[in-house]
Amino acid sequence: MMDLEVRGVKVAIDGKEILHGISAAFSAGRRTAIIGPNGAGKSTLLKALAAINTDYTGEVLLAGQEIRTMGRKEIAKKIGILPQGAAAPPDTTVRQLVDYGRFPYRGLFSRDAKADREVVEWAMTATHVEQLAGRQVQTLSGGERQRVFLAMVLAQQPEILLLDEPTTYLDIAHQLEVMEIVERLNRDYHMTIIMVLHDINHALQYADEIIIIKDGRLKAQGQPAEVMTVDSLAATFGVKADIFVNSQGKKVLSPIELVK
C-alpha cells in the first residue's frame, strides 16, 4: 500500500493564494475525511493530491516520489478521483462510461479485452449498478449517477481513492448507500480513501482520521473523536453544537445556533 503526503504545499489561483503551506500525511489503508468551511481550500488540496493541478509549490509525494515527475497513466493506476459535478458525454451507457476507467491500461496497439471486461463487471457490482449497464447515464437518478461515476473511477483499479463531496445533492438514503460502499471498499480491498465531506457526522462515522482546513491552513489532524469537538466546531464553522452518542456508539454533533 502506498502513502500519500503533502509538504508545505501552496497553491495560488488568479494571483490569490488558496493554500498556505499545507503539510499532512495520509495513512495507507485508512479513511481520511477533509472538512472545513466553504472556500477553505479542500477541493484545491484534492486536485493537488491527484496531480490535476500541478501548479503548486512544495511537494506532493506518492510513495516518496514527487507526483509531478510521474506520467499521467502511471498516476491513474495508483490514484483515482471522483470530482464534484462529473458529467458524461450524451447517449453514453453505464457500461461504456465505466469502461472509460480502463484508459490507464490501454496502449495504442494493445488491449486486454477479457481483463477489461472482468474489471468493469467488478466495478459495477461493487457499486450496485450492474443492473443499469445498458441504461444511458443521462436517464439515471442522482444517486444512480454518482454510483456509476464511482464505478468508472474504480475501473482504474486505484490504490488510493479521492472523493470530493461524494454525497452532495443526494437524499439521505443515497448518501448512506454511497458512504457504505466507500466503507466496504476500504475494508474489503484495503483501498486508501481521502474524501472531502460536507457532513460533519459522516466524517465522524466513516473516517479513521479527520483533517480540518480553514482559510487554506491545516488546523487539526487526528482521530475523529479527538479532532471533532464542540470547541473545534465552533472555531471552524462558527456554530455551537450539542453532542451525544447514537445507538451505534458513535459520537454525533448537532448544531444548534451560530456563535455570537
Side-chain angles (χ1 to χ4, degrees):
M1 292 190 291
M2 294 188 171
D3 291 314
L4 189 59
E5 183 179 2
V6 290
R7 296 180 181 174
V9 167
K10 297 181 180 180
V11 176
I13 299 176
D14 295 331
K16 180 181 178 181
E17 191 167 274
I18 307 299
L19 297 182
H20 308 290
I22 295 282
S23 295
F26 300 89
S27 301
R30 291 171 67 81
R31 292 164 291 165
T32 301
I34 302 172
I35 66 171
N38 291 342
K42 305 182 297 296
S43 296
T44 300
L45 176 59
L46 216 63
K47 289 176 182 176
L49 290 172
I52 292 174
N53 178 13
T54 57
D55 188 17
Y56 56 81
T57 61
E59 296 178 295
V60 177
L61 302 173
L62 177 60
Q65 182 178 355
E66 167 57 53
I67 203 167
R68 285 178 291 198
T69 67
M70 303 170 67
R72 185 70 254 169
K73 285 190 175 183
E74 183 184 3
I75 296 170
K77 290 178 181 179
K78 298 174 173 64
I79 299 176
I81 182 169
L82 179 57
Q84 294 184 49
D91 303 325
T92 303
T93 67
V94 168
R95 188 182 301 278
Q96 288 171 333
L97 184 67
V98 178
D99 186 67
Y100 290 158
R102 298 301 296 159
F103 79 91
Y105 302 92
R106 293 172 179 162
L108 187 59
F109 301 107
S110 63
R111 175 175 177 178
D112 189 342
K114 182 175 183 293
D116 286 344
R117 286 196 302 270
E118 289 175 348
V119 173
V120 167
E121 291 299 326
W122 166 78
M124 290 194 296
T125 300
T127 53
H128 309 156
V129 297
E130 66 273 22
Q131 75 281 4
L132 304 174
R135 292 268 303 275
Q136 291 187 1
V137 177
Q138 63 192 21
T139 69
L140 303 179
S141 69
E144 290 168 338
R145 280 197 303 272
Q146 190 72 328
R147 285 185 283 124
V148 168
F149 280 106
L150 179 56
M152 181 184 69
V153 178
L154 292 184
Q156 296 174 214
Q157 294 179 282
E159 295 185 40
I160 300 171
L161 178 62
L162 309 181
L163 305 169
D164 195 355
E165 298 196 11
T167 61
T168 300
Y169 306 126
L170 302 183
D171 62 33
I172 296 173
H174 286 112
Q175 288 179 26
L176 291 178
E177 185 174 29
V178 168
M179 295 309 299
E180 287 176 1
I181 289 170
V182 170
E183 184 178 44
R184 189 171 63 254
L185 291 170
N186 171 254
R187 182 186 66 240
D188 294 348
Y189 302 101
H190 310 292
M191 195 174 291
T192 301
I193 310 291
I194 303 171
M195 47 190 172
V196 171
L197 293 179
H198 178 73
D199 190 311
I200 56 173
N201 287 311
H202 283 169
L204 282 167
Q205 183 170 351
Y206 292 103
D208 300 308
E209 291 186 325
I210 291 178
I211 285 176
I212 298 177
I213 294 179
K214 184 178 181 182
D215 299 327
R217 293 179 171 84
L218 190 146
K219 296 297 184 180
Q221 179 175 5
Q223 295 183 0
E226 298 172 352
V227 171
M228 283 307 302
T229 65
V230 170
D231 290 341
S232 68
L233 196 68
T236 304
F237 295 98
V239 298
K240 293 181 180 179
D242 289 335
I243 185 170
F244 60 93
V245 176
N246 67 16
S247 61
Q248 294 184 331
K250 299 284 188 178
K251 186 170 73 170
V252 176
L253 288 168
S254 178
I256 52 174
E257 63 179 353
L258 295 174
V259 173
K260 299 175 181 178

mmCIF file of all heavy atoms in Angstrom, residues 102 112-120 157:
data_model
loop_
_atom_site.group_PDB
_atom_site.id
_atom_site.type_symbol
_atom_site.label_atom_id
_atom_site.label_comp_id
_atom_site.label_asym_id
_atom_site.label_seq_id
_atom_site.Cartn_x
_atom_site.Cartn_y
_atom_site.Cartn_z
ATOM 1 N N ARG A 102 -10.833 2.293 -17.813
ATOM 2 C CA ARG A 102 -9.726 1.381 -18.137
ATOM 3 C C ARG A 102 -8.620 2.057 -18.936
ATOM 4 O O ARG A 102 -7.637 1.413 -19.313
ATOM 5 C CB ARG A 102 -10.262 0.176 -18.921
ATOM 6 C CG ARG A 102 -11.262 -0.670 -18.177
ATOM 7 C CD ARG A 102 -10.679 -1.222 -16.890
ATOM 8 N NE ARG A 102 -9.569 -2.139 -17.166
ATOM 9 C CZ ARG A 102 -8.629 -2.450 -16.279
ATOM 10 N NH1 ARG A 102 -8.639 -1.919 -15.062
ATOM 11 N NH2 ARG A 102 -7.668 -3.291 -16.601
ATOM 12 N N ASP A 112 -6.212 -5.661 -23.387
ATOM 13 C CA ASP A 112 -6.615 -6.958 -22.857
ATOM 14 C C ASP A 112 -8.118 -6.911 -22.607
ATOM 15 O O ASP A 112 -8.572 -6.544 -21.522
ATOM 16 C CB ASP A 112 -5.846 -7.269 -21.573
ATOM 17 C CG ASP A 112 -6.068 -8.693 -21.093
ATOM 18 O OD1 ASP A 112 -7.062 -9.313 -21.538
ATOM 19 O OD2 ASP A 112 -5.271 -9.177 -20.276
ATOM 20 N N ALA A 113 -8.893 -7.271 -23.629
ATOM 21 C CA ALA A 113 -10.337 -7.109 -23.569
ATOM 22 C C ALA A 113 -10.958 -7.930 -22.451
ATOM 23 O O ALA A 113 -11.886 -7.472 -21.772
ATOM 24 C CB ALA A 113 -10.956 -7.479 -24.914
ATOM 25 N N LYS A 114 -10.465 -9.141 -22.239
ATOM 26 C CA LYS A 114 -11.036 -10.004 -21.208
ATOM 27 C C LYS A 114 -10.814 -9.400 -19.823
ATOM 28 O O LYS A 114 -11.742 -9.337 -19.006
ATOM 29 C CB LYS A 114 -10.412 -11.395 -21.273
ATOM 30 C CG LYS A 114 -10.990 -12.386 -20.260
ATOM 31 C CD LYS A 114 -10.395 -13.767 -20.485
ATOM 32 C CE LYS A 114 -11.027 -14.791 -19.532
ATOM 33 N NZ LYS A 114 -10.666 -14.507 -18.119
ATOM 34 N N ALA A 115 -9.604 -8.949 -19.554
ATOM 35 C CA ALA A 115 -9.308 -8.330 -18.263
ATOM 36 C C ALA A 115 -10.132 -7.065 -18.059
ATOM 37 O O ALA A 115 -10.645 -6.811 -16.967
ATOM 38 C CB ALA A 115 -7.819 -8.018 -18.159
ATOM 39 N N ASP A 116 -10.284 -6.275 -19.130
ATOM 40 C CA ASP A 116 -11.089 -5.059 -19.042
ATOM 41 C C ASP A 116 -12.526 -5.388 -18.671
ATOM 42 O O ASP A 116 -13.119 -4.758 -17.794
ATOM 43 C CB ASP A 116 -11.060 -4.294 -20.368
ATOM 44 C CG ASP A 116 -9.734 -3.595 -20.613
ATOM 45 O OD1 ASP A 116 -8.954 -3.448 -19.658
ATOM 46 O OD2 ASP A 116 -9.487 -3.192 -21.764
ATOM 47 N N ARG A 117 -13.104 -6.374 -19.336
ATOM 48 C CA ARG A 117 -14.489 -6.749 -19.054
ATOM 49 C C ARG A 117 -14.665 -7.217 -17.616
ATOM 50 O O ARG A 117 -15.641 -6.856 -16.950
ATOM 51 C CB ARG A 117 -14.942 -7.857 -20.015
ATOM 52 C CG ARG A 117 -15.211 -7.393 -21.440
ATOM 53 C CD ARG A 117 -16.006 -8.433 -22.211
ATOM 54 N NE ARG A 117 -15.316 -9.719 -22.259
ATOM 55 C CZ ARG A 117 -14.466 -10.080 -23.212
ATOM 56 N NH1 ARG A 117 -14.177 -9.226 -24.194
ATOM 57 N NH2 ARG A 117 -13.897 -11.272 -23.197
ATOM 58 N N GLU A 118 -13.715 -7.985 -17.131
ATOM 59 C CA GLU A 118 -13.817 -8.500 -15.767
ATOM 60 C C GLU A 118 -13.753 -7.375 -14.743
ATOM 61 O O GLU A 118 -14.513 -7.368 -13.759
ATOM 62 C CB GLU A 118 -12.687 -9.516 -15.511
ATOM 63 C CG GLU A 118 -12.871 -10.820 -16.272
ATOM 64 C CD GLU A 118 -11.695 -11.761 -16.101
ATOM 65 O OE1 GLU A 118 -10.645 -11.312 -15.573
ATOM 66 O OE2 GLU A 118 -11.816 -12.927 -16.500
ATOM 67 N N VAL A 119 -12.864 -6.414 -14.970
ATOM 68 C CA VAL A 119 -12.741 -5.291 -14.028
ATOM 69 C C VAL A 119 -13.980 -4.406 -14.090
ATOM 70 O O VAL A 119 -14.475 -3.941 -13.060
ATOM 71 C CB VAL A 119 -11.459 -4.478 -14.308
ATOM 72 C CG1 VAL A 119 -11.430 -3.223 -13.437
ATOM 73 C CG2 VAL A 119 -10.225 -5.314 -14.046
ATOM 74 N N VAL A 120 -14.499 -4.159 -15.294
ATOM 75 C CA VAL A 120 -15.706 -3.347 -15.442
ATOM 76 C C VAL A 120 -16.874 -4.001 -14.714
ATOM 77 O O VAL A 120 -17.645 -3.329 -14.007
ATOM 78 C CB VAL A 120 -16.025 -3.122 -16.929
ATOM 79 C CG1 VAL A 120 -17.445 -2.567 -17.109
ATOM 80 C CG2 VAL A 120 -15.016 -2.156 -17.552
ATOM 81 N N GLN A 157 -8.742 0.674 -11.022
ATOM 82 C CA GLN A 157 -8.102 -0.156 -10.006
ATOM 83 C C GLN A 157 -7.072 0.637 -9.189
ATOM 84 O O GLN A 157 -5.936 0.209 -9.002
ATOM 85 C CB GLN A 157 -7.435 -1.374 -10.645
ATOM 86 C CG GLN A 157 -8.407 -2.345 -11.283
ATOM 87 C CD GLN A 157 -7.724 -3.531 -11.927
ATOM 88 O OE1 GLN A 157 -7.170 -3.432 -13.019
ATOM 89 N NE2 GLN A 157 -7.745 -4.657 -11.234
#
